Amino acid sequence: MKNKTNINWEAFSENVEKVLGEDFWNEMQHVIPKRGPAYDYFETEKEGVIFIDLPGFTTNDTVHLSQQGTRLIVKGELNYPYPIPEKELIHSERLKGKFKRIITVPFHFTSENIQTSLQHGVLIIKITKMAEEEIVVRIHDQ
């Protein structure tokens, strides 16, 4: 999957910081909180591989995967990990609570093509590419 835009986000971020100040991005965390976990995606010849950050997630936690066409929908919940009430956090930007992330996969797949594993708080989803079938159709005169 290739980026659809050619925006240099690093330069954009630096320019915003110059104009609006060093604290701008930290303050934006409270205005626009994370809606879902961060992920990376890459492909090999045989599969698509997704790495999703789920800090504190364990094999006892549940993640739900569903499919809509070529979209993979990942839902779950990250439990609140601290011994104090959440309102007492001095600074909070880590993802916690219910989450949903929709990832567009650039090829067709079925649930049988999906394998998951969890390593150090990172959910790894491997989606095996389906072999493309050639369909031959014969057209007859009527």
Side-chain angles (χ1 to χ4, degrees), residues 10-33:
E10 186 173 342
F12 174 80
S13 178
E14 289 173 6
N15 287 332
V16 167
E17 190 174 297
K18 285 178 189 175
V19 173
L20 299 175
E22 292 180 0
D23 292 331
F24 174 77
W25 293 117
N26 284 336
E27 295 301 321
M28 288 303 292
Q29 292 290 334
H30 301 288
V31 176
I32 306 172

Side-chain angles (χ1 to χ4, degrees), residues 33-123:
K34 287 185 175 186
R35 292 187 38 144
Y39 77 91
D40 290 335
Y41 175 84
F42 68 87
E43 287 184 37
T44 67
E45 188 177 311
K46 297 183 182 210
E47 64 189 1
V49 183
I50 303 166
F51 288 80
I52 303 176
D53 288 343
L54 296 175
F57 210 74
T58 69
T59 53
N60 293 329
D61 294 317
T62 302
V63 65
H64 300 276
L65 302 178
S66 60
Q67 176 188 5
Q68 290 179 341
T70 59
R71 295 172 9 143
L72 181 67
I73 300 156
V74 182
K75 291 182 184 180
E77 186 169 358
L78 287 168
N79 294 320
Y80 181 75
Y82 308 117
I84 62 166
E86 190 170 355
K87 66 182 179 181
E88 291 182 25
L89 286 174
I90 295 168
H91 183 86
S92 176
E93 60 183 58
R94 293 182 68 199
L95 183 65
K96 53 194 154 300
K98 291 183 180 182
F99 64 85
K100 176 180 177 181
R101 193 68 200 248
I102 299 173
I103 302 168
T104 300
V105 177
F107 55 85
H108 293 282
F109 63 96
T110 65
S111 59
E112 291 83 31
N113 300 101
I114 298 174
Q115 296 176 352
T116 61
S117 62
L118 185 67
Q119 294 179 7
H120 309 288
V122 178
L123 177 64

